[in-house]
Amino acid sequence: MNVQQLVEIVQGQVLNPQVSLRHELKGGCGADLMSDVLASVKPDAVLLTGLCNIQVVRTAQMADVRAIVFVRGKKPTAETIALATQEGIPLISSPFGMFELCGRLYQAGLHSLEEPVSS
Amino acid sequence: MSNLHELQGRRGRIITDKDAREISRVEELSYDLKISEVMTRNVKTVSPDMPMNAVLEILRVNRISGVPVLEHGDLVGILSIEDLVRCMEKNELHFPVSAYMSRNIVSVNAYDSVVKAIETFSTQRKGRLPVVDEAGKLVGIITKGDITRGVLNALQRDYHEEELRRYRASHLFEDITSDRTSLILRYNIKPRDYLNGGQASSHIKRALLRLGANPQLARQCGIAIYEAEMNLIIHTTHGGIIRVQIEPHRILMQTTDDGPGIEDVQKALTPGWSTASQEVRDMGFGAGMGLVNIQRCVDRMELESAPGKGTRLTMEIILRPEERFKETEENGTVA
């Protein structure tokens, strides 16, 4: 699934339409704890989150997350959008909640890229 | 040098891996580039009641081969040079545009990828496509020439910026001869500067990629240094320093500050243990997982701290033979 197809599934609004939506997504993860994303997510995932600050974009950049979906219609700050645009990371606002989004995407064939925490 | 080999290869019509990469880059660009980036803005338009001879003049003076027809700001048709030829054959240049314009409008969206326009050109026999915004208002016009120009510009821009930087940086260790070459990056970090938190880490990750590090290695370093940078911002009293030493065989990253220091270093290393404020937790950090994460990313981590004195976190990654940065053979072998 690429980001463009994901946007349709989550009925999302792309907040930085200047960014390419062509990236292929290998799977997904849902988290509000950025350390969890950094610790457990494999590259080329979409991140579903309720967190809207600039650190979400930095985390995505470090963890090679290819797109970010904000749940329940949340919109990030202008600085967050500006940074994501600069870094080429699409930001998508979806009206659905985290649970609904995970379900929809999983059903559409997108699987988890979260790894269990092990030492 | 290798450049010469490439040239000869090209003359000999051998498609090298490099050529293949450039071909696919053009394809990639047609997805990456938005129509709004390559279209012609400030479009000449005409109205439906304008006489055809006035249009003839507009096309001639502006050296264009077609114009969109607007009525009260709405796109109602397209008039091309072919329509004008038909009109001249019938000697009806005094007729209004509405008599000759094509009402079958195929438009593209400004936010669509260029590939969408390419697809439309290949299925529709059109020389130009009007470009509309989300509200359906005309914002530009696109021709195949615009696409070619746009892709070529983007290729050149790309090549000249990132590729060239990467090319230069990736040869750094090869171009300099010494017994032991290392590159040191330093960043000053301000306390509680959450808005810029991660900026240094982002620069470090990019530097590693430009130096030729594989994406997995750059990611590993990026994650470790980002957690360390956030720790510094969250806890430091007066600010601190990130220092990254890159050598062909290893990467050494350090964060240092002069306070407040950690009471119980052993406790700080316990997963889930944190002294972070609610403000920090609201940002998605401060769950006591940072040091644990760092440990998973590096070969060696050392946390030294004394209350009232400061903290130093050292992270070392030893590069595997295939990950090492290329250096000149003249360089001294490192222990």
Side-chain angles (χ1 to χ4, degrees), chain B residues 7-24:
Chain B
L7 277 177
Q8 285 169 340
R10 261 184 219 177
R11 270 190 211 138
R13 294 273 167 233
I14 298 163
I15 303 229
T16 61
D17 285 354
K18 190 162 171 282
D19 292 334
R21 267 207 304 279
E22 279 167 11
I23 293 165
S24 67

Side-chain angles (χ1 to χ4, degrees), chain A residues 58-80:
Chain A
R58 288 292 184 204
T59 300
Q61 196 192 357
M62 292 305 150
D64 295 332
V65 162
R66 299 300 173 212
I68 302 168
V69 178
F70 298 101
V71 306
R72 292 193 289 107
K74 291 189 184 188
K75 300 261 170 74
T77 58
E79 292 108 4
T80 307

Side-chain angles (χ1 to χ4, degrees), chain B residues 147-186:
Chain B
I147 295 178
T148 310
R149 209 168 15 255
V151 169
L152 284 175
N153 281 342
L155 259 183
Q156 197 182 17
R157 205 164 55 218
D158 251 34
Y159 194 78
H160 278 140
E161 285 169 19
E162 193 57 25
E163 302 273 320
L164 213 62
R165 277 180 185 151
R166 269 190 197 205
Y167 181 83
R168 273 196 229 125
S170 67
H171 289 68
L172 197 67
F173 290 106
E174 282 179 281
D175 291 346
I176 292 163
T177 307
S178 85
D179 283 336
R180 183 164 178 174
T181 308
S182 63
L183 177 67
I184 292 176
L185 315 176
R186 275 175 76 109

